[in-house]
Amino acid sequence: MESPILLARHDGWASVTLNRPSSLNSFNVAMHEAAAAAFAELDADESCRAVLLTGAGRAFCAGQDLAEAIGMDDLGVLIDKYYNPLIKRIRAMNKPVVCAVNGVAAGAGANLALACDIVLAARSASFLQAFARIGLVPDSGGTFFLPRLIGDARTRALTILAEPVTAERAEEWGMIWKVVDDDALAPEAEKLTAKLATQPTQSFALTKQALLASGTNTLDQQLDLERDLQRTAGRTPDYKEGVSAFIEKRKPKFTGKQP
Ligand code: T3D
């Protein structure tokens, strides 16, 4: 049987592909465990400086495998064990995670995409907060990410009506970064991820830390945090290289190394 997650290594970056196309890459336990292992491995690997997440076949991800969940009495168990750690891992990961939404992203699959740092979507893709259709509530960070990305009115309508949003509308609303023609999605996402892998990785990691904390910090706390993170950034080899390259009017060669 083929692995439910395909992990491929490239020069300085890696791709993680959700690979259960016959059920639209919905999450069963095997896929959860393989995804958790892949992201843990890439998080710990300093030679991997950017990650691309995408789906195999015509969908990105249809959320929970409903056939597997049907007998479960306590859905909180799956969320505690799998969904929440995955979302937290991606948000806290010390390198950028690009998401290439190649088709429908529904339920937890939609919110998994929104947890990533830069989201590209194929023009034919769509996002569906499917939860209300089956009597559930949005999870995997949907009620956190959506109001911040698209505002309260749109979030309430999307989650209550459970209507799909086209990729184009998602871009127009600021829910995702960019729509790309279907044929161009994979090459463009790969090119972007490969480019990120040559950039100042520590700067990205520290920026992600600042953005993560801004969800709960006051302005005072955030300003202090920015100062502390800037101190750390200012001690990285990439800061020295960035400034030297600017002064010498040449292209910087970043290594992504820690101070
Ligand atoms: O533990 C917990 O349950 C708590 C955690 C919850 C997290 C969640 O994600 S809850 C939300 C779960 N997801 C959904 O409710 C979405 C269900 N899927 C759909 O609504 C539709 O499939 C789509 C709108 C995503 C796509 O529609 P369409 O018409 O393009 O495809 P389809 O024909 O519905 O699906 C194609 C196949 O994939 C089909 O199988 P078949 O008939 O060819 O053998 C379908 O059953 C299967 N499939 C699609 N989604 C799921 C699925 N199988 C299992 N689980 C799915 N989520």
PDB file of all heavy atoms in Angstrom, residues 10-23:
ATOM      1  N   HIS A  10      14.492  18.010  -1.506  1.00  0.00           N
ATOM      2  CA  HIS A  10      15.076  18.732  -2.638  1.00  0.00           C
ATOM      3  C   HIS A  10      16.269  19.517  -2.108  1.00  0.00           C
ATOM      4  O   HIS A  10      16.685  19.306  -0.971  1.00  0.00           O
ATOM      5  CB  HIS A  10      14.025  19.651  -3.263  1.00  0.00           C
ATOM      6  CG  HIS A  10      12.756  18.922  -3.613  1.00  0.00           C
ATOM      7  ND1 HIS A  10      12.599  18.208  -4.777  1.00  0.00           N
ATOM      8  CD2 HIS A  10      11.591  18.769  -2.924  1.00  0.00           C
ATOM      9  CE1 HIS A  10      11.395  17.647  -4.791  1.00  0.00           C
ATOM     10  NE2 HIS A  10      10.768  17.971  -3.683  1.00  0.00           N
ATOM     11  N   ASP A  11      16.789  20.426  -2.901  1.00  0.00           N
ATOM     12  CA  ASP A  11      17.976  21.157  -2.495  1.00  0.00           C
ATOM     13  C   ASP A  11      17.600  22.241  -1.465  1.00  0.00           C
ATOM     14  O   ASP A  11      17.187  23.330  -1.841  1.00  0.00           O
ATOM     15  CB  ASP A  11      18.614  21.785  -3.753  1.00  0.00           C
ATOM     16  CG  ASP A  11      19.940  22.437  -3.434  1.00  0.00           C
ATOM     17  OD1 ASP A  11      20.495  22.163  -2.345  1.00  0.00           O
ATOM     18  OD2 ASP A  11      20.416  23.241  -4.256  1.00  0.00           O
ATOM     19  N   GLY A  12      17.699  21.906  -0.177  1.00  0.00           N
ATOM     20  CA  GLY A  12      17.410  22.881   0.880  1.00  0.00           C
ATOM     21  C   GLY A  12      15.943  22.943   1.278  1.00  0.00           C
ATOM     22  O   GLY A  12      15.583  23.680   2.195  1.00  0.00           O
ATOM     23  N   TRP A  13      15.078  22.214   0.607  1.00  0.00           N
ATOM     24  CA  TRP A  13      13.649  22.241   0.961  1.00  0.00           C
ATOM     25  C   TRP A  13      13.032  20.861   0.787  1.00  0.00           C
ATOM     26  O   TRP A  13      13.680  19.951   0.271  1.00  0.00           O
ATOM     27  CB  TRP A  13      12.906  23.303   0.144  1.00  0.00           C
ATOM     28  CG  TRP A  13      12.888  23.101  -1.348  1.00  0.00           C
ATOM     29  CD1 TRP A  13      13.912  23.395  -2.223  1.00  0.00           C
ATOM     30  CD2 TRP A  13      11.822  22.576  -2.130  1.00  0.00           C
ATOM     31  NE1 TRP A  13      13.531  23.067  -3.506  1.00  0.00           N
ATOM     32  CE2 TRP A  13      12.250  22.568  -3.479  1.00  0.00           C
ATOM     33  CE3 TRP A  13      10.543  22.114  -1.843  1.00  0.00           C
ATOM     34  CZ2 TRP A  13      11.449  22.129  -4.529  1.00  0.00           C
ATOM     35  CZ3 TRP A  13       9.729  21.665  -2.890  1.00  0.00           C
ATOM     36  CH2 TRP A  13      10.193  21.676  -4.213  1.00  0.00           C
ATOM     37  N   ALA A  14      11.806  20.726   1.249  1.00  0.00           N
ATOM     38  CA  ALA A  14      11.139  19.425   1.171  1.00  0.00           C
ATOM     39  C   ALA A  14       9.674  19.628   0.841  1.00  0.00           C
ATOM     40  O   ALA A  14       9.086  20.672   1.168  1.00  0.00           O
ATOM     41  CB  ALA A  14      11.271  18.686   2.502  1.00  0.00           C
ATOM     42  N   SER A  15       9.072  18.626   0.212  1.00  0.00           N
ATOM     43  CA  SER A  15       7.628  18.693  -0.021  1.00  0.00           C
ATOM     44  C   SER A  15       6.945  17.548   0.719  1.00  0.00           C
ATOM     45  O   SER A  15       7.477  16.429   0.801  1.00  0.00           O
ATOM     46  CB  SER A  15       7.310  18.645  -1.516  1.00  0.00           C
ATOM     47  OG  SER A  15       7.767  17.437  -2.060  1.00  0.00           O
ATOM     48  N   VAL A  16       5.782  17.877   1.263  1.00  0.00           N
ATOM     49  CA  VAL A  16       4.940  16.897   1.953  1.00  0.00           C
ATOM     50  C   VAL A  16       3.636  16.838   1.161  1.00  0.00           C
ATOM     51  O   VAL A  16       2.949  17.859   1.011  1.00  0.00           O
ATOM     52  CB  VAL A  16       4.648  17.352   3.403  1.00  0.00           C
ATOM     53  CG1 VAL A  16       3.677  16.393   4.083  1.00  0.00           C
ATOM     54  CG2 VAL A  16       5.939  17.472   4.213  1.00  0.00           C
ATOM     55  N   THR A  17       3.316  15.646   0.646  1.00  0.00           N
ATOM     56  CA  THR A  17       2.100  15.508  -0.163  1.00  0.00           C
ATOM     57  C   THR A  17       1.114  14.582   0.550  1.00  0.00           C
ATOM     58  O   THR A  17       1.453  13.436   0.884  1.00  0.00           O
ATOM     59  CB  THR A  17       2.450  14.941  -1.561  1.00  0.00           C
ATOM     60  OG1 THR A  17       3.405  15.813  -2.173  1.00  0.00           O
ATOM     61  CG2 THR A  17       1.208  14.860  -2.449  1.00  0.00           C
ATOM     62  N   LEU A  18      -0.094  15.087   0.782  1.00  0.00           N
ATOM     63  CA  LEU A  18      -1.168  14.270   1.352  1.00  0.00           C
ATOM     64  C   LEU A  18      -1.576  13.288   0.251  1.00  0.00           C
ATOM     65  O   LEU A  18      -1.904  13.704  -0.871  1.00  0.00           O
ATOM     66  CB  LEU A  18      -2.351  15.155   1.757  1.00  0.00           C
ATOM     67  CG  LEU A  18      -2.002  16.372   2.644  1.00  0.00           C
ATOM     68  CD1 LEU A  18      -3.242  17.223   2.890  1.00  0.00           C
ATOM     69  CD2 LEU A  18      -1.392  15.920   3.963  1.00  0.00           C
ATOM     70  N   ASN A  19      -1.557  12.014   0.571  1.00  0.00           N
ATOM     71  CA  ASN A  19      -1.651  11.035  -0.513  1.00  0.00           C
ATOM     72  C   ASN A  19      -2.691   9.940  -0.259  1.00  0.00           C
ATOM     73  O   ASN A  19      -2.358   8.766  -0.152  1.00  0.00           O
ATOM     74  CB  ASN A  19      -0.250  10.424  -0.743  1.00  0.00           C
ATOM     75  CG  ASN A  19      -0.201   9.535  -1.964  1.00  0.00           C
ATOM     76  OD1 ASN A  19      -0.828   9.843  -2.986  1.00  0.00           O
ATOM     77  ND2 ASN A  19       0.518   8.426  -1.869  1.00  0.00           N
ATOM     78  N   ARG A  20      -3.952  10.349  -0.144  1.00  0.00           N
ATOM     79  CA  ARG A  20      -5.066   9.374  -0.135  1.00  0.00           C
ATOM     80  C   ARG A  20      -6.102   9.869  -1.155  1.00  0.00           C
ATOM     81  O   ARG A  20      -7.242  10.204  -0.797  1.00  0.00           O
ATOM     82  CB  ARG A  20      -5.693   9.289   1.263  1.00  0.00           C
ATOM     83  CG  ARG A  20      -4.730   8.805   2.352  1.00  0.00           C
ATOM     84  CD  ARG A  20      -5.462   8.609   3.681  1.00  0.00           C
ATOM     85  NE  ARG A  20      -6.395   7.523   3.607  1.00  0.00           N
ATOM     86  CZ  ARG A  20      -7.687   7.600   3.991  1.00  0.00           C
ATOM     87  NH1 ARG A  20      -8.189   8.726   4.472  1.00  0.00           N
ATOM     88  NH2 ARG A  20      -8.476   6.566   3.889  1.00  0.00           N
ATOM     89  N   PRO A  21      -5.688   9.968  -2.419  1.00  0.00           N
ATOM     90  CA  PRO A  21      -6.549  10.642  -3.400  1.00  0.00           C
ATOM     91  C   PRO A  21      -7.933  10.023  -3.559  1.00  0.00           C
ATOM     92  O   PRO A  21      -8.879  10.742  -3.880  1.00  0.00           O
ATOM     93  CB  PRO A  21      -5.744  10.573  -4.702  1.00  0.00           C
ATOM     94  CG  PRO A  21      -4.677   9.563  -4.479  1.00  0.00           C
ATOM     95  CD  PRO A  21      -4.420   9.508  -3.011  1.00  0.00           C
ATOM     96  N   SER A  22      -8.075   8.713  -3.299  1.00  0.00           N
ATOM     97  CA  SER A  22      -9.397   8.098  -3.519  1.00  0.00           C
ATOM     98  C   SER A  22     -10.419   8.599  -2.503  1.00  0.00           C
ATOM     99  O   SER A  22     -11.630   8.520  -2.749  1.00  0.00           O
ATOM    100  CB  SER A  22      -9.301   6.576  -3.483  1.00  0.00           C
ATOM    101  OG  SER A  22      -8.822   6.185  -2.220  1.00  0.00           O
ATOM    102  N   SER A  23      -9.966   9.119  -1.350  1.00  0.00           N
ATOM    103  CA  SER A  23     -10.921   9.738  -0.409  1.00  0.00           C
ATOM    104  C   SER A  23     -10.588  11.222  -0.246  1.00  0.00           C
ATOM    105  O   SER A  23     -10.766  11.796   0.827  1.00  0.00           O
ATOM    106  CB  SER A  23     -10.924   9.007   0.926  1.00  0.00           C
ATOM    107  OG  SER A  23      -9.633   9.025   1.471  1.00  0.00           O
TER     108      SER A  23
END
